[in-house]
Amino acid sequence: KNQVEQSPQSLIILEGKNCTLQCNYTVSPFSNLRWYKQDTGRGPVSLTIMTFSENTKSNGRYTATLDADTKQSSLHITASQLSDSASYICVVSGGSNDYKLSFGAGTTVTVRA
Amino acid sequence: EAQVTQNPRYLITVTGKKLTVTCSQNMNHEYMSWYRQDPGLGLRQIYYSMNVEVTDKGDVPEGYKVSRKEKRNFPLILESPSPNQTSLYFCASSLMGTIYNEQFFGPGTRLTVL
């Protein structure tokens, strides 16, 4: 069973609108959580990184939140742009060692004009 | 430019024909890893290496080999490829000794085994 579950699997939004992606994890012990953006045909690129003590982190129009008690994270995209069309992957570090990464299956976001 | 490079980017081969996908990083990272990405499954770790001559299995190592003779290179070897190894492969590297240990990914290699 995957230790990182993301929802929704995909979504379509209009340019300029906001959206929120969800990530639930069961990885324990927890070290940190990252959100990656993966453009089609390219490798993932880190957007935000949060450790146990951080509950929010922003990177431009991207804001990630973390609730370590409920083991949930969200990624909020504000005022979406066409270039935000990509897959967003939640990655949790921890478990057997800090370098063990557990990947969610990703949420595919399509922004339409 | 700091980067992870992979070659080839695209490869079509036939069952049983040995192949190697190269991976190289220029950031002096100790940690390197190989992943495969399949639709609906996300990224799954094949093998990883925490330093030169130190490698270990990830979640899906069957059918793959790796070596780490130099710090910068981490080739992935498929001795006898099979169609179920058709996938998108990513190499990644990171600096050890930090709680953030962000992994930097290469551009990917799309492999098709007929």
Side-chain angles (χ1 to χ4, degrees):
Chain A
K1 185 181 185 302
N2 197 357
Q3 296 187 77
V4 181
E5 300 286 347
Q6 291 187 242
S7 62
Q9 186 174 10
S10 63
L11 66 93
I12 300 172
I13 57 173
L14 292 176
E15 189 177 14
K17 298 297 185 182
N18 305 334
C19 68
T20 300
L21 316 179
Q22 300 291 341
C23 173
N24 296 337
Y25 63 92
T26 59
V27 175
S28 182
F30 170 84
S31 178
N32 58 64
L33 183 148
R34 304 175 203 75
W35 284 91
Y36 279 84
K37 179 186 179 188
Q38 183 177 19
D39 293 315
T40 301
R42 307 192 68 159
V45 176
S46 179
L47 288 174
T48 63
I49 303 173
M50 289 183 292
T51 61
F52 184 89
S53 59
E54 298 170 299
N55 54 27
T56 187
K57 185 74 73 76
S58 291
N59 178 0
R61 294 177 297 101
Y62 300 101
T63 299
T65 64
L66 172 66
D67 185 334
D69 291 332
T70 62
K71 298 187 177 182
Q72 295 179 324
S73 177
S74 65
L75 180 70
H76 187 74
I77 305 175
T78 303
S80 61
Q81 300 177 358
L82 297 177
S83 59
D84 293 331
S85 294
S87 179
Y88 293 84
I89 304 171
C90 176
V91 184
V92 180
S93 176
S96 55
N97 63 69
D98 284 351
Y99 299 98
K100 173 64 176 174
L101 301 183
S102 298
F103 291 80
T107 293
T108 301
V109 174
T110 302
V111 181
R112 293 200 171 146
Chain B
E1 179 189 356
Q3 60 183 346
V4 178
T5 58
Q6 296 178 226
N7 282 292
R9 294 289 314 281
Y10 302 91
L11 179 60
I12 300 174
T13 189
V14 295
T15 298
K17 186 176 182 181
K18 180 180 178 180
L19 67 91
T20 299
V21 184
T22 65
C23 172
S24 182
Q25 51 92 7
N26 63 0
M27 295 171 279
N28 203 36
H29 286 169
E30 297 93 346
Y31 185 92
M32 297 186 75
S33 182
W34 275 103
Y35 300 90
R36 61 178 289 174
Q37 187 176 35
D38 302 291
L41 294 179
L43 284 148
R44 293 179 292 168
Q45 189 177 49
I46 302 170
Y47 268 95
Y48 65 96
S49 169
M50 300 185 85
N51 215 325
V52 175
E53 302 291 3
V54 179
T55 63
D56 209 345
K57 296 178 180 179
D59 297 317
V60 288
E62 295 78 20
Y64 304 95
K65 286 175 57 177
V66 293
S67 68
R68 187 90 182 273
K69 293 184 171 59
E70 311 167 90
K71 198 172 188 179
R72 63 183 293 126
N73 296 323
F74 191 45
L76 179 69
I77 304 156
L78 284 73
E79 294 271 3
S80 183
S82 61
N84 64 12
Q85 293 178 298
T86 293
S87 187
L88 180 58
Y89 291 86
F90 288 100
C91 179
S93 73
S94 69
L95 192 65
M96 291 181 63
T98 166
I99 60 171
Y100 290 103
N101 59 309
E102 176 184 351
Q103 293 204 3
F104 295 86
F105 287 82
T109 295
R110 186 167 293 281
L111 171 66
T112 301
V113 183
L114 302 175

